[in-house]
Amino acid sequence: MPDALSGGTAGPAPGVAIPDVSFAEALAEDLELAAPDLEPATLPEEDEPAPDAPETLILAIETSCDETSAAVLRGDRTILANVVSSQAALHERYGGIVPELASRAHVQAINPALAEVLRKADVTFWDLDAVAVTIGPGLMGSLVVGVAAAKSLAALLEVPLIGVNHLEAHIYANFLQHADVAPPAIALIVSGGHTLLVHMFDHGLYEVLGETLDDAAGEAFDKVARYLGLGYPGGPVVDKLAASGDPAAIPFPRPMRDEGYDFSFSGLKTAVLTYVDRERRAGRELSVEDICASFQEALVDVQVAKTVRAAKEHDIPTVLLCGGVAANSRLRKLLGEACDAAGIRFFRPPAELCTDNAAMVAACGYHRYRRGIRTTLDVTPDPNFPLA
């Protein structure tokens, strides 16, 4: 039945060269071949759980931030195609994402991306059983592009529209990769805009145990990298340089490490900037590698400590690492080691499924589709859409 949605590695996913295909022409061709007498679209009214159909085909669209992505998923785990068009090069010159530019780039990329993903998946529009799309959270101008495309397709094809929470989709990246993942679990979601510790009771049932009170983990990476002149995005370059540095060289603080489940990285970021300023004024040579390694170690240590403690205190046997920052090599290594030592099962997606992509949206959409969840065509994107 309709829910709240109904109302109304170490680096970015590699860009995919998308040919300049006219979506309108591709759609017209399918219309001519497959459905010449298409009647006005209607949404199915029934809200009973769908049968467990391994051949279910779901088209998903993701445009919450600066990547335009489309994917086709068969069943719950088989990715037939996952196209990602990255805007990293566009925003690099500004040192961060410019929302207006991101929105315009989505408009240019969405139709060719849809045509390309269908070509790669070797399916037509008329083979699809549902259309899933990110409703939020994210940048409003970016979300609108994907939601408009998804609503148009769902209406035209007379298939269900499945609205998806972007943060929940990151959790389901693990379900794509690992057949034995199952709730309950503790999910650490870390990205450029979010850092959350989530108790996943079951599919669709969550409790946010803690979240960032200021800067998100990815945001802290970007700001430190920008101050050091390392460019944007900061996470991949800091991770790379840290591999050559000493993580114990500089004793940066571990804010709130042993206090509750909330995060705060603004103080850590300020400590790094203060250290760099002090060393420069003193005329001492800086080791960028040591700074990156020590900063990264402090940030990762806090996340690992809180995540493992949450799993122990809630007696949860499984930890899921999710989000763009989940591609960080040090976080993947230390969290895995800590979970092993505590007897906790640890899962992480491959690096290409950590950053924003439509395959994870499709996986989340599949589970919502199976539970009979439908989203109405008058749904409005919500840039602040909560997970729970």
Side-chain angles (χ1 to χ4, degrees):
M1 59 184 294
D3 63 353
L5 285 172
S6 305
T9 240
V16 173
I18 300 176
D20 186 13
V21 178
S22 170
F23 175 77
E25 293 176 3
L27 179 57
E29 182 177 312
D30 278 343
L31 280 169
E32 185 176 350
L33 292 176
D37 57 347
L38 183 68
E39 296 179 358
T42 59
L43 279 179
E45 296 181 358
E46 62 179 3
D47 56 7
E48 295 298 320
D52 189 5
E55 295 304 309
T56 299
L57 288 180
I58 293 183
L59 170 70
I61 298 173
E62 158 62 32
T63 62
S64 65
C65 192
D66 63 334
E67 270 118 8
T68 309
S69 183
V72 176
L73 185 74
R74 173 180 288 136
D76 61 341
R77 298 183 58 242
T78 304
I79 302 173
L80 298 185
N82 186 31
V83 169
V84 180
S85 177
S86 176
Q87 301 177 16
L90 173 65
H91 300 286
E92 181 178 7
R93 74 191 74 172
Y94 304 104
I97 298 170
V98 182
E100 175 65 20
L101 293 180
S103 179
R104 293 184 181 185
H106 284 306
V107 171
Q108 295 174 346
I110 186 63
N111 288 345
L114 288 167
E116 177 73 354
V117 78
L118 292 178
R119 184 191 67 80
K120 285 190 171 185
D122 193 23
V123 300
T124 71
F125 288 107
W126 310 106
D127 296 319
L128 303 174
D129 295 294
V131 177
V133 63
T134 300
I135 300 294
L139 300 175
M140 187 61 173
S142 295
L143 290 166
V144 165
V145 178
V147 171
K151 290 198 291 188
S152 299
L153 286 172
L156 175 64
L157 302 176
E158 295 186 322
V159 297
L161 176 69
I162 312 295
V164 169
N165 183 292
H166 178 75
L167 301 177
E168 184 179 14
H170 272 302
I171 293 175
Y172 277 90
N174 284 284
F175 288 78
L176 283 170
Q177 183 69 14
H178 308 287
D180 55 339
V181 174
I186 294 295
L188 174 63
I189 308 175
V190 279
S191 66
H194 304 89
T195 301
L196 295 89
L197 204 53
V198 176
H199 183 181
M200 181 183 189
F201 295 94
D202 201 348
H203 294 289
L205 296 176
Y206 308 95
E207 178 188 4
V208 177
L209 302 177
E211 56 189 326
T212 182
L213 302 178
D214 39 60
D215 290 346
E219 187 179 3
F221 271 113
D222 288 340
K223 289 180 177 178
V224 167
R226 183 163 61 242
Y227 197 74
L228 293 173
L230 302 178
Y232 172 87
V237 67
V238 169
D239 191 12
K240 181 178 180 179
L241 291 173
S244 302
D246 179 4
I250 308 165
F252 288 130
R254 270 73 168 161
M256 300 175 63
R257 182 185 187 277
D258 302 312
E259 304 174 20
Y261 298 131
D262 285 331
F263 299 89
S264 175
F265 297 120
S266 180
L268 171 59
K269 172 202 67 182
T270 301
V272 175
L273 271 54
T274 300
Y275 171 84
V276 171
D277 284 345
R278 183 173 65 246
E279 295 300 294
R280 284 173 174 169
R281 286 197 300 270
R284 290 187 284 267
E285 184 176 354
L286 292 171
S287 170
V288 176
E289 292 80 3
D290 284 351
I291 294 172
C292 288
S294 299
F295 160 69
Q296 178 176 264
E297 194 75 4
L299 187 145
V300 167
D301 182 39
V302 172
Q303 295 176 85
V304 170
K306 287 179 179 287
T307 303
V308 173
R309 177 158 50 84
K312 289 180 176 179
E313 292 179 354
H314 289 78
D315 195 25
I316 303 298
T318 302
V319 163
L320 308 177
L321 181 59
C322 330
V325 180
N328 180 271
S329 63
R330 191 63 172 169
L331 177 57
R332 295 165 77 90
K333 179 177 187 295
L334 294 187
L335 185 54
E337 291 175 351
C339 287
D340 287 343
I344 299 169
R345 297 199 312 160
F346 172 62
F347 297 96
R348 64 190 186 184
E352 63 269 18
L353 292 180
C354 290
T355 49
D356 294 350
N357 66 90
M360 68 183 192
V361 176
C364 183
Y366 172 82
H367 284 273
R368 298 176 71 80
Y369 175 77
R370 283 276 296 110
R371 301 199 306 277
I373 296 174
R374 304 292 184 265
T375 302
T376 58
L377 290 178
D378 61 354
V379 65
T380 301
D382 183 353
N384 300 307
F385 193 77
L387 177 62

